[in-house]
Amino acid sequence: MREIVLQQPGEFIERHVPPPARKEGEALVGIRRIGVCGTDLHAFAGRQPFFSYPRVLGHELGVEVLDAPANDFGIRAGDRCAVEPYLSCGECHSCRLGKPNCCEKLQVLGVHTDGGMRPFLSVPVRLLHKSGALTLDQLALVETLGIGAHAVARGSLRSGEETLVVGAGPIGLATMQFARAAGGRVRCLELSDARRAFVEGLGFECLDAWDQRRADMVFDATGNPRAMEASFDYVAFGGRLVLVGLVQGRISFDDPQFHRREATLLASRNSCGDFPRIIRMIESGEIDTAPWITDRLTLAGTPRGFAGLRERPNLVKAMIEVEERDE
């Protein structure tokens, strides 16, 4: 089968390897769709923390189950599923606290261990979430939505709170969706004209510069150190800031102002138990990710086409399609 490997920053290679066998307690799945995440773009650029090369990318996955053992999750051959890509140990302090998203030994498919840029993968059955109604594109985007859902949960957003989301990439879009679902009065801060127009088309107010109006709840989804530092200024007295994006390095803030406002700072990592709820929300039409997909690649075309994605002015989300000949 064809496998696409990020050999080093800026260099994909293609290699042909035998298809994997199904491991005990796991299901063999056919990869059908792979969403391109900011993590993948940062890894390509050599700016992704906790990352090593070479690596098979791909953690936003829409799959078809090819073979599954008897299980208590109702997963059978032929099911279409989203894959929860977080391989937690189940034994560490975080896992025992019910926070497997920040497991001390966490392995994320496509980040810490090889992911889905290949036609077949063996994954634990418990990480598969099926839907008979969603398309493969929709299933591949459940993971992205989970990041936003968890961020909103981390912030304990209450109905009616003034909410500012900084950054209108896919993670920012996901955060906006769940902040609105929680009843927040949501605005966005985004410098890109194209992304601002896209967000406004979804019914959100979007600014190109901060208007000095502080928010009870601020989510920074930029992964940019200067933007993250500036986000501290946007928080109202008694407000909260959730850092959803991740940057390689340190950030700083004005400590007297932070204390004066008695602000709360929170980090948000991955998602935690949100896949079933997200699938139900997409099935009901409460969330529509169809407009997000602005670009498409084939698996075979990824080594040639991936670099150009970073230059696309209107890029929101790229989707990689895996075809039969890749097998």
Side-chain angles (χ1 to χ4, degrees), residues 147-235:
I147 305 297
H150 184 62
V152 171
R154 283 287 286 158
S156 301
L157 178 60
R158 296 180 290 270
S159 180
E161 285 193 307
E162 191 72 32
T163 303
L164 179 67
V165 177
V166 186
I171 300 303
L173 289 173
T175 303
M176 283 183 255
Q177 295 273 8
F178 287 95
R180 180 160 64 183
R185 299 200 304 273
V186 183
R187 299 183 303 148
C188 177
L189 178 59
E190 170 58 54
L191 300 181
S192 163
D193 292 340
R195 285 194 171 180
R196 206 162 50 250
F198 183 84
V199 169
E200 289 170 349
L202 298 177
F204 293 98
E205 179 186 358
C206 198
L207 313 172
D208 61 359
W210 183 43
D211 61 1
Q212 306 297 312
R213 182 172 144 201
R214 293 195 174 98
D216 305 304
M217 184 80 256
V218 178
F219 298 95
D220 189 285
T222 65
N224 178 290
R226 290 182 62 186
M228 293 164 75
E229 290 174 348
S231 288
F232 283 83
D233 293 332
Y234 309 152
V235 182

Coordinates of all heavy atoms in Angstrom, one line a residue, residues 147-235:
I147 N -11.8 19.8 19.5 CA -10.9 20.7 20.1 C -11.7 22.0 20.6 O -11.5 22.5 21.7 CB -9.8 21.1 19.1 CG1 -9.1 19.9 18.5 CG2 -8.8 22.1 19.8 CD1 -8.4 19.1 19.5
G148 N -12.6 22.5 19.8 CA -13.4 23.6 20.2 C -14.3 23.3 21.3 O -14.5 24.1 22.2
A149 N -15.0 22.1 21.2 CA -15.9 21.7 22.2 C -15.2 21.7 23.6 O -15.8 22.1 24.6 CB -16.5 20.4 21.9
H150 N -14.0 21.1 23.6 CA -13.3 21.0 24.9 C -12.9 22.3 25.4 O -12.9 22.6 26.6 CB -12.1 20.0 24.7 CG -11.4 19.8 26.0 ND1 -12.0 19.2 27.1 CD2 -10.1 20.1 26.4 CE1 -11.1 19.1 28.1 NE2 -10.0 19.6 27.7
A151 N -12.4 23.2 24.5 CA -12.0 24.5 24.9 C -13.2 25.3 25.6 O -13.0 25.9 26.7 CB -11.5 25.3 23.7
V152 N -14.4 25.2 25.0 CA -15.5 25.9 25.6 C -15.9 25.2 27.0 O -16.2 26.0 27.9 CB -16.7 25.8 24.7 CG1 -18.0 26.3 25.3 CG2 -16.4 26.6 23.4
A153 N -15.7 23.9 27.1 CA -16.0 23.3 28.4 C -14.9 23.7 29.4 O -15.2 24.0 30.6 CB -15.9 21.8 28.2
R154 N -13.7 23.8 29.0 CA -12.6 24.3 29.9 C -12.9 25.7 30.4 O -12.6 26.0 31.6 CB -11.3 24.3 29.2 CG -10.7 22.9 29.0 CD -10.1 22.4 30.3 NE -8.9 23.1 30.7 CZ -8.4 23.1 31.9 NH1 -9.1 22.6 32.9 NH2 -7.3 23.7 32.2
G155 N -13.5 26.6 29.6 CA -13.8 27.9 30.0 C -15.0 28.1 30.8 O -15.3 29.1 31.4
S156 N -15.8 27.0 31.0 CA -17.1 27.0 31.7 C -17.9 28.2 31.2 O -18.5 28.9 32.1 CB -16.8 27.1 33.2 OG -16.1 26.0 33.7
L157 N -18.0 28.3 29.9 CA -18.8 29.4 29.3 C -20.2 29.4 29.8 O -20.9 28.3 29.7 CB -18.7 29.4 27.8 CG -19.4 30.4 27.0 CD1 -18.9 31.8 27.4 CD2 -19.2 30.2 25.5
R158 N -20.7 30.5 30.2 CA -22.1 30.6 30.6 C -22.9 31.4 29.6 O -22.4 32.3 28.9 CB -22.2 31.3 32.0 CG -21.6 30.5 33.1 CD -21.7 31.2 34.5 NE -20.8 32.4 34.5 CZ -19.6 32.4 34.9 NH1 -19.0 31.3 35.3 NH2 -18.9 33.5 35.0
S159 N -24.2 31.1 29.5 CA -25.1 31.8 28.6 C -25.1 33.3 28.8 O -25.2 33.7 30.0 CB -26.5 31.2 28.7 OG -27.4 31.9 27.8
G160 N -25.0 34.0 27.8 CA -25.0 35.5 27.9 C -23.7 36.2 28.0 O -23.6 37.4 28.0
E161 N -22.6 35.4 28.2 CA -21.3 36.0 28.5 C -20.7 36.6 27.2 O -20.9 36.0 26.1 CB -20.4 35.0 29.1 CG -20.6 34.7 30.5 CD -19.5 33.9 31.2 OE1 -19.1 32.9 30.6 OE2 -19.0 34.4 32.2
E162 N -20.1 37.7 27.3 CA -19.4 38.3 26.2 C -18.2 37.5 25.8 O -17.4 37.2 26.7 CB -19.0 39.7 26.6 CG -18.5 40.6 25.4 CD -19.6 41.0 24.5 OE1 -20.7 41.2 24.9 OE2 -19.3 41.1 23.3
T163 N -18.1 37.0 24.6 CA -17.1 36.0 24.2 C -16.3 36.5 23.0 O -16.9 36.9 22.0 CB -17.8 34.7 23.9 OG1 -18.5 34.2 25.0 CG2 -16.7 33.6 23.6
L164 N -15.0 36.4 23.1 CA -14.2 36.8 22.0 C -13.3 35.6 21.6 O -12.6 35.0 22.4 CB -13.3 38.0 22.3 CG -12.3 38.4 21.2 CD1 -13.1 39.0 20.0 CD2 -11.3 39.5 21.8
V165 N -13.3 35.2 20.3 CA -12.5 34.1 19.8 C -11.4 34.8 18.9 O -11.8 35.5 18.0 CB -13.2 33.1 19.0 CG1 -12.3 32.0 18.4 CG2 -14.3 32.4 19.9
V166 N -10.2 34.6 19.2 CA -9.1 35.2 18.5 C -8.5 34.2 17.5 O -8.0 33.1 17.9 CB -7.9 35.7 19.4 CG1 -6.9 36.4 18.6 CG2 -8.5 36.6 20.5
G167 N -8.7 34.4 16.2 CA -8.2 33.5 15.2 C -9.3 32.7 14.6 O -10.1 32.1 15.3
A168 N -9.5 32.8 13.3 CA -10.6 32.1 12.6 C -10.2 31.0 11.7 O -10.7 30.8 10.6 CB -11.4 33.1 11.8
G169 N -9.1 30.2 12.1 CA -8.8 29.0 11.5 C -9.8 27.9 11.9 O -10.8 28.2 12.6
P170 N -9.7 26.7 11.5 CA -10.6 25.6 11.8 C -10.8 25.5 13.3 O -12.0 25.3 13.8 CB -10.0 24.4 11.2 CG -9.2 24.9 10.0 CD -8.7 26.2 10.5
I171 N -9.8 25.6 14.1 CA -10.0 25.5 15.6 C -10.8 26.7 16.1 O -11.6 26.5 17.0 CB -8.6 25.4 16.3 CG1 -7.8 24.2 15.8 CG2 -8.8 25.3 17.8 CD1 -8.6 22.8 16.0
G172 N -10.5 27.9 15.6 CA -11.3 29.0 16.0 C -12.7 28.9 15.6 O -13.6 29.2 16.4
L173 N -12.9 28.4 14.4 CA -14.3 28.2 13.9 C -15.0 27.2 14.8 O -16.2 27.4 15.2 CB -14.3 27.6 12.5 CG -13.9 28.6 11.4 CD1 -13.8 27.9 10.0 CD2 -14.9 29.8 11.3
A174 N -14.4 26.1 15.2 CA -15.0 25.1 16.0 C -15.3 25.7 17.4 O -16.4 25.5 18.0 CB -14.0 23.9 16.2
T175 N -14.4 26.5 17.9 CA -14.7 27.1 19.2 C -15.8 28.1 19.1 O -16.7 28.1 20.0 CB -13.4 27.9 19.7 OG1 -12.3 27.0 19.7 CG2 -13.6 28.5 21.0
M176 N -15.9 28.8 18.0 CA -17.1 29.7 17.9 C -18.4 29.0 17.8 O -19.4 29.4 18.4 CB -16.9 30.5 16.6 CG -16.0 31.7 16.6 SD -16.0 32.6 15.1 CE -14.4 32.0 14.4
Q177 N -18.4 27.8 17.1 CA -19.6 27.0 17.0 C -20.1 26.6 18.4 O -21.3 26.7 18.7 CB -19.4 25.8 16.2 CG -19.1 26.1 14.7 CD -20.3 26.2 13.8 OE1 -21.4 26.2 14.3 NE2 -20.1 26.3 12.6
F178 N -19.2 26.1 19.2 CA -19.6 25.6 20.5 C -19.9 26.7 21.5 O -20.7 26.6 22.5 CB -18.6 24.6 21.0 CG -18.7 23.3 20.3 CD1 -17.9 23.0 19.2 CD2 -19.7 22.3 20.6 CE1 -18.0 21.8 18.5 CE2 -19.8 21.1 19.9 CZ -19.0 20.9 18.9
A179 N -19.2 27.8 21.4 CA -19.4 29.0 22.2 C -20.8 29.5 22.0 O -21.6 29.9 22.9 CB -18.4 30.1 22.0
R180 N -21.2 29.6 20.7 CA -22.6 30.0 20.4 C -23.6 29.0 20.9 O -24.7 29.4 21.4 CB -22.7 30.2 18.8 CG -24.1 30.6 18.4 CD -24.1 31.3 17.0 NE -23.7 30.3 16.0 CZ -23.6 30.7 14.7 NH1 -23.8 31.9 14.3 NH2 -23.3 29.8 13.8
A181 N -23.3 27.7 20.7 CA -24.2 26.7 21.2 C -24.4 26.8 22.7 O -25.5 26.4 23.3 CB -23.7 25.3 20.9
A182 N -23.4 27.3 23.5 CA -23.5 27.4 24.9 C -24.1 28.7 25.3 O -24.3 29.0 26.5 CB -22.1 27.4 25.5
G183 N -24.5 29.5 24.3 CA -25.2 30.8 24.7 C -24.4 32.0 24.8 O -24.9 33.1 25.2
G184 N -23.1 31.9 24.4 CA -22.2 33.1 24.5 C -22.5 34.1 23.4 O -23.0 33.7 22.3
R185 N -22.3 35.3 23.7 CA -22.4 36.4 22.7 C -21.1 36.5 22.0 O -20.1 37.1 22.5 CB -22.8 37.7 23.3 CG -24.1 37.7 24.1 CD -24.7 39.1 24.3 NE -23.8 40.0 25.0 CZ -23.8 40.1 26.3 NH1 -24.5 39.3 27.1 NH2 -22.9 40.9 26.9
V186 N -20.9 35.8 20.8 CA -19.6 35.5 20.2 C -19.3 36.5 19.2 O -20.0 36.8 18.3 CB -19.7 34.1 19.6 CG1 -18.3 33.7 19.1 CG2 -20.1 33.1 20.7
R187 N -18.0 37.0 19.3 CA -17.4 37.8 18.3 C -16.0 37.2 18.0 O -15.5 36.4 18.8 CB -17.1 39.3 18.7 CG -18.4 40.0 19.1 CD -18.1 41.5 19.4 NE -17.2 41.5 20.6 CZ -16.3 42.5 20.7 NH1 -16.2 43.5 19.8 NH2 -15.5 42.5 21.8
C188 N -15.4 37.6 16.9 CA -14.2 37.0 16.5 C -13.2 38.1 16.1 O -13.6 39.2 15.6 CB -14.4 36.1 15.3 SG -12.8 35.3 14.6
L189 N -11.9 37.9 16.3 CA -10.9 38.8 15.9 C -10.0 38.1 14.9 O -9.4 37.1 15.3 CB -10.1 39.3 17.1 CG -8.9 40.2 16.8 CD1 -9.4 41.5 16.2 CD2 -8.2 40.6 18.2
E190 N -9.9 38.6 13.7 CA -9.1 37.9 12.6 C -8.6 38.9 11.7 O -9.3 39.8 11.2 CB -10.1 36.9 11.9 CG -9.5 36.3 10.6 CD -8.2 35.5 10.8 OE1 -8.2 34.6 11.7 OE2 -7.2 35.8 10.1
L191 N -7.3 38.8 11.3 CA -6.7 39.8 10.5 C -6.9 39.5 9.0 O -6.9 40.4 8.2 CB -5.1 39.8 10.7 CG -4.7 40.2 12.2 CD1 -3.2 40.2 12.3 CD2 -5.3 41.5 12.6
S192 N -7.1 38.3 8.6 CA -7.3 37.9 7.2 C -8.6 38.4 6.7 O -9.7 38.0 7.2 CB -7.1 36.4 7.0 OG -7.6 36.0 5.7
D193 N -8.6 39.1 5.6 CA -9.9 39.6 5.0 C -10.7 38.4 4.5 O -11.9 38.4 4.7 CB -9.6 40.5 3.8 CG -9.0 41.8 4.1 OD1 -9.1 42.2 5.3 OD2 -8.3 42.4 3.3
A194 N -10.1 37.4 3.9 CA -10.8 36.3 3.4 C -11.5 35.5 4.5 O -12.7 35.1 4.4 CB -9.9 35.4 2.6
R195 N -10.8 35.2 5.6 CA -11.3 34.5 6.7 C -12.4 35.3 7.4 O -13.4 34.7 7.9 CB -10.2 34.0 7.7 CG -9.4 32.9 7.1 CD -8.5 32.3 8.2 NE -7.9 31.0 7.7 CZ -7.1 30.3 8.4 NH1 -6.8 30.6 9.7 NH2 -6.6 29.2 7.9
R196 N -12.2 36.6 7.5 CA -13.2 37.4 8.2 C -14.5 37.4 7.4 O -15.6 37.2 8.0 CB -12.7 38.9 8.3 CG -13.3 39.6 9.4 CD -12.4 40.9 9.8 NE -12.1 41.7 8.6 CZ -10.9 41.8 8.1 NH1 -9.9 41.1 8.6 NH2 -10.7 42.6 7.1
A197 N -14.4 37.4 6.1 CA -15.6 37.3 5.3 C -16.3 36.0 5.4 O -17.5 35.9 5.5 CB -15.3 37.6 3.8
F198 N -15.5 34.9 5.5 CA -16.0 33.6 5.7 C -16.8 33.5 7.0 O -17.9 32.9 7.1 CB -14.9 32.6 5.7 CG -15.3 31.1 5.8 CD1 -15.7 30.4 4.7 CD2 -15.3 30.5 7.0 CE1 -16.1 29.1 4.8 CE2 -15.7 29.2 7.1 CZ -16.1 28.5 6.0
V199 N -16.2 34.0 8.1 CA -16.8 33.9 9.4 C -18.1 34.7 9.4 O -19.1 34.3 10.0 CB -15.8 34.5 10.5 CG1 -16.6 34.7 11.8 CG2 -14.7 33.5 10.7
E200 N -18.1 35.9 8.8 CA -19.3 36.7 8.8 C -20.4 36.0 8.0 O -21.6 36.1 8.3 CB -19.0 38.1 8.1 CG -18.2 38.9 9.1 CD -17.6 40.2 8.4 OE1 -17.7 40.3 7.1 OE2 -17.1 41.1 9.1
G201 N -20.0 35.2 7.0 CA -21.0 34.4 6.2 C -21.7 33.3 7.1 O -22.8 32.9 6.7
L202 N -21.0 33.0 8.2 CA -21.6 32.0 9.1 C -22.4 32.6 10.2 O -22.9 32.0 11.1 CB -20.4 31.2 9.7 CG -19.6 30.3 8.8 CD1 -18.5 29.6 9.6 CD2 -20.4 29.3 8.1
G203 N -22.5 34.0 10.1 CA -23.4 34.7 11.1 C -22.7 35.2 12.3 O -23.4 35.6 13.3
F204 N -21.4 35.3 12.3 CA -20.6 35.8 13.4 C -20.1 37.2 13.1 O -19.8 37.5 12.0 CB -19.4 34.9 13.8 CG -19.8 33.6 14.3 CD1 -19.8 32.5 13.4 CD2 -20.1 33.4 15.6 CE1 -20.1 31.2 13.9 CE2 -20.4 32.1 16.1 CZ -20.4 31.0 15.2
E205 N -20.1 38.1 14.1 CA -19.4 39.3 14.0 C -17.9 39.1 14.0 O -17.4 38.4 14.9 CB -19.8 40.3 15.2 CG -19.2 41.6 15.1 CD -19.5 42.5 16.3 OE1 -20.3 42.0 17.2 OE2 -18.9 43.6 16.4
C206 N -17.2 39.8 13.1 CA -15.7 39.5 13.1 C -15.0 40.9 12.9 O -15.4 41.7 12.0 CB -15.4 38.6 11.9 SG -13.8 37.8 12.1
L207 N -14.0 41.1 13.7 CA -13.3 42.3 13.7 C -11.9 42.1 13.1 O -11.3 41.0 13.2 CB -13.1 42.8 15.2 CG -14.3 42.8 16.1 CD1 -13.8 43.2 17.5 CD2 -15.3 43.9 15.6
D208 N -11.3 43.2 12.6 CA -10.0 43.1 12.1 C -9.0 43.8 13.0 O -7.7 43.7 12.8 CB -9.8 43.8 10.7 CG -10.2 45.3 10.7 OD1 -10.6 45.8 11.7 OD2 -10.1 45.9 9.6
A209 N -9.5 44.4 14.1 CA -8.6 45.0 15.1 C -9.4 45.0 16.4 O -10.7 45.2 16.4 CB -8.1 46.4 14.7
W210 N -8.8 44.9 17.5 CA -9.5 45.0 18.8 C -10.1 46.3 19.0 O -9.5 47.4 18.8 CB -8.5 44.7 20.0 CG -9.2 44.6 21.3 CD1 -10.3 44.0 21.6 CD2 -8.6 45.2 22.5 NE1 -10.6 44.2 23.0 CE2 -9.6 44.9 23.5 CE3 -7.5 45.9 22.8 CZ2 -9.4 45.3 24.8 CZ3 -7.3 46.3 24.1 CH2 -8.3 46.0 25.2
D211 N -11.4 46.4 19.5 CA -12.1 47.6 19.6 C -12.2 48.1 21.1 O -13.0 48.9 21.4 CB -13.5 47.4 19.1 CG -14.3 46.3 19.8 OD1 -13.7 45.7 20.7 OD2 -15.5 46.1 19.4
Q212 N -11.3 47.6 21.9 CA -11.2 48.0 23.3 C -12.3 47.5 24.2 O -12.4 47.8 25.3 CB -11.1 49.5 23.4 CG -10.0 50.2 22.6 CD -8.6 49.8 23.1 OE1 -8.3 49.8 24.2 NE2 -7.8 49.4 22.1
R213 N -13.1 46.6 23.6 CA -14.3 46.1 24.4 C -13.8 44.7 24.9 O -13.7 43.7 24.2 CB -15.5 45.9 23.4 CG -16.7 45.4 24.1 CD -17.8 45.5 23.0 NE -18.8 44.4 23.1 CZ -19.6 44.0 22.1 NH1 -19.5 44.7 20.9 NH2 -20.4 43.0 22.2
R214 N -13.6 44.6 26.2 CA -13.1 43.4 26.8 C -14.2 42.4 27.0 O -15.4 42.7 27.1 CB -12.4 43.7 28.2 CG -11.2 44.5 28.1 CD -10.3 44.5 29.3 NE -9.1 45.2 29.1 CZ -8.8 46.4 29.5 NH1 -9.8 47.2 30.1 NH2 -7.6 47.0 29.3
A215 N -13.8 41.1 27.0 CA -14.8 40.0 27.0 C -14.7 39.2 28.3 O -13.6 39.1 28.9 CB -14.5 39.1 25.8
D216 N -15.8 38.7 28.8 CA -15.8 37.8 29.9 C -15.0 36.5 29.6 O -14.4 36.0 30.5 CB -17.2 37.4 30.3 CG -18.2 38.6 30.5 OD1 -17.8 39.4 31.3 OD2 -19.2 38.6 29.8
M217 N -15.1 36.1 28.4 CA -14.5 34.8 28.0 C -13.7 35.0 26.7 O -14.3 35.5 25.7 CB -15.6 33.8 27.8 CG -15.2 32.4 27.4 SD -14.7 31.5 28.9 CE -12.9 31.5 28.7
V218 N -12.4 34.8 26.7 CA -11.5 34.9 25.5 C -10.9 33.6 25.2 O -10.4 32.9 26.1 CB -10.4 36.0 25.8 CG1 -9.5 36.1 24.5 CG2 -11.0 37.4 26.1
F219 N -11.0 33.2 24.0 CA -10.3 32.0 23.5 C -9.3 32.4 22.4 O -9.6 33.0 21.5 CB -11.3 31.0 22.8 CG -12.4 30.5 23.7 CD1 -13.6 31.2 23.8 CD2 -12.2 29.4 24.5 CE1 -14.6 30.7 24.6 CE2 -13.2 28.9 25.4 CZ -14.4 29.6 25.4
D220 N -8.0 32.0 22.7 CA -7.0 32.3 21.7 C -6.8 31.0 20.9 O -6.3 30.0 21.5 CB -5.7 32.8 22.3 CG -4.8 33.3 21.2 OD1 -4.2 32.4 20.5 OD2 -4.6 34.5 21.0
A221 N -7.1 31.0 19.6 CA -6.9 29.9 18.7 C -5.9 30.1 17.6 O -6.0 29.6 16.5 CB -8.2 29.4 18.2
T222 N -4.9 31.0 17.9 CA -4.0 31.4 16.9 C -2.7 30.5 16.8 O -2.2 30.3 15.7 CB -3.5 32.8 17.0 OG1 -2.8 33.0 18.3 CG2 -4.8 33.8 17.1
G223 N -2.2 30.1 17.9 CA -0.9 29.4 17.9 C 0.2 30.4 17.5 O 1.3 30.0 17.1
N224 N 0.0 31.7 17.7 CA 1.0 32.7 17.4 C 1.4 33.4 18.7 O 0.5 34.0 19.4 CB 0.4 33.7 16.4 CG 1.3 34.9 16.1 OD1 1.6 35.7 16.9 ND2 1.8 34.9 14.8
P225 N 2.6 33.5 19.1 CA 3.0 34.0 20.4 C 2.6 35.5 20.6 O 2.1 35.8 21.7 CB 4.5 33.8 20.5 CG 5.0 33.6 19.1 CD 3.8 32.9 18.4
R226 N 2.7 36.3 19.6 CA 2.3 37.7 19.8 C 0.8 37.9 20.0 O 0.4 38.7 20.8 CB 2.8 38.5 18.5 CG 4.3 38.7 18.4 CD 4.7 39.5 17.2 NE 4.1 40.9 17.3 CZ 4.2 41.8 16.3 NH1 4.8 41.5 15.2 NH2 3.7 43.0 16.5
A227 N 0.1 37.1 19.2 CA -1.4 37.1 19.4 C -1.8 36.6 20.7 O -2.7 37.2 21.4 CB -2.1 36.3 18.3
M228 N -1.1 35.5 21.2 CA -1.5 35.0 22.5 C -1.2 35.9 23.6 O -2.0 36.1 24.6 CB -0.7 33.6 22.7 CG -1.1 32.5 21.7 SD 0.0 31.2 21.6 CE -0.3 30.3 23.1
E229 N -0.1 36.6 23.5 CA 0.3 37.6 24.5 C -0.7 38.8 24.5 O -1.2 39.3 25.6 CB 1.7 38.1 24.3 CG 2.7 37.1 24.6 CD 4.2 37.5 24.3 OE1 4.3 38.5 23.6 OE2 5.1 36.8 24.7
A230 N -1.1 39.2 23.3 CA -2.1 40.3 23.2 C -3.4 39.9 23.8 O -4.2 40.8 24.3 CB -2.2 40.7 21.8
S231 N -3.8 38.6 23.7 CA -5.1 38.2 24.2 C -5.3 38.4 25.7 O -6.4 38.5 26.1 CB -5.3 36.7 23.9 OG -5.5 36.5 22.5
F232 N -4.2 38.5 26.4 CA -4.4 38.8 27.9 C -5.0 40.2 28.1 O -5.8 40.4 29.0 CB -3.0 38.8 28.6 CG -2.5 37.5 28.9 CD1 -1.8 36.7 27.9 CD2 -2.6 36.9 30.1 CE1 -1.3 35.5 28.1 CE2 -2.2 35.6 30.4 CZ -1.5 34.9 29.4
D233 N -4.8 41.1 27.1 CA -5.4 42.5 27.2 C -6.9 42.5 27.0 O -7.6 43.4 27.3 CB -4.7 43.4 26.3 CG -3.3 43.7 26.6 OD1 -2.9 43.6 27.8 OD2 -2.5 44.0 25.7
Y234 N -7.4 41.5 26.3 CA -8.8 41.5 25.9 C -9.7 41.0 27.0 O -11.0 41.0 26.8 CB -9.0 40.6 24.7 CG -8.0 40.8 23.5 CD1 -7.7 39.8 22.6 CD2 -7.5 42.1 23.3 CE1 -6.8 40.0 21.6 CE2 -6.6 42.3 22.2 CZ -6.3 41.3 21.4 OH -5.4 41.5 20.3
V235 N -9.2 40.5 28.1 CA -10.0 39.8 29.1 C -10.5 40.9 30.1 O -9.8 41.7 30.6 CB -9.1 38.8 29.9 CG1 -10.0 38.1 31.0 CG2 -8.5 37.8 29.0

